[in-house]
Amino acid sequence: MAYLAELDTRLLLYIQDAMRYEPLHSFWRGISFWATWAGLDFTGILLALNSKTRTAGITAIAALVLSTFISNVILKNAVMRPRPFEVLPQIIPLITHASGYSFPSGHTTAAFACAFVYYKLLPKFFGLPIMLLAVMVAFSRLYLGVHYPLDVLGGIITALVWQYACN
């Protein structure tokens, strides 16, 4: 287990050292916030309002609500993993409103809960770009310094499980 934690930390530090580029900070902040809550989540509401895409919209909303509850209420409080910037002094978070526990990533869970449903229930020309957007949200959480890679992986797995439960 210690090896996995060490690998997790090393990968995050690599992303912080090798991939951060100041002109991109605002872009990744925007992806983290707008793509998750305003983009993928709001899309579920719009899809639910249209009779042709209602099933996808309602399923995405259900998967989002269930997986976010499991992620943010149950798993975070059960695992109680501190955020990386609270443990590693070399991590400087690029957002100031990250609070609570780190595992699993709630943003990643939300993004993938919607993306998995859209990929499965909508045409691929819509589903593939949405899946790419969810991957970008997951990466943004690492780039911003508010999650470890295993937090992001935990969010993806949580979303996948609850997406299947909702279908």
Side-chain angles (χ1 to χ4, degrees):
M1 193 65 153
Y3 172 75
L4 195 55
E6 176 68 23
L7 183 62
D8 201 27
T9 299
R10 284 180 186 251
L11 184 54
L12 178 61
L13 291 174
Y14 172 77
I15 290 168
Q16 296 291 298
D17 292 339
M19 296 184 176
R20 267 193 176 180
Y21 180 58
E22 199 278 324
L24 294 178
H25 291 358
S26 293
F27 172 78
W28 288 111
R29 283 186 197 107
I31 289 292
S32 185
F33 179 75
W34 291 109
T36 305
W37 307 118
L40 295 172
D41 302 348
F42 185 67
T43 300
I45 295 168
L46 293 178
L47 291 171
L49 296 174
N50 184 319
S51 62
K52 292 181 181 180
T53 57
R54 185 164 292 135
T55 299
I58 291 171
T59 304
I61 292 167
L64 172 69
V65 169
L66 286 172
S67 64
T68 300
F69 176 78
I70 295 297
S71 173
N72 291 345
V73 176
I74 296 175
L75 293 175
K76 282 185 186 268
N77 290 310
V79 176
M80 297 190 310
R81 184 179 198 189
R83 292 196 181 258
F85 60 85
E86 297 172 334
V87 177
L88 304 167
Q90 62 269 51
I91 300 291
I92 299 168
L94 296 180
I95 55 176
T96 58
H97 55 276
S99 61
Y101 297 117
S102 189
F103 182 89
S105 166
H107 280 75
T108 302
T109 302
F112 274 93
C114 294
F116 285 140
V117 170
Y118 299 152
Y119 184 79
K120 185 174 182 181
L121 298 179
L122 296 174
K124 297 305 174 238
F125 71 85
F126 186 77
L128 284 173
I130 293 293
M131 192 62 74
L132 176 61
L133 190 57
V135 169
M136 291 172 67
V137 168
F139 178 77
S140 76
R141 305 309 287 168
L142 303 172
Y143 184 94
L144 297 172
V146 295
H147 285 289
Y148 292 96
L150 285 177
D151 301 341
V152 167
L153 182 60
I156 294 169
I157 292 168
T158 302
L160 184 62
V161 167
W162 289 102
Q163 178 272 150
Y164 278 113
C166 292
N167 277 317

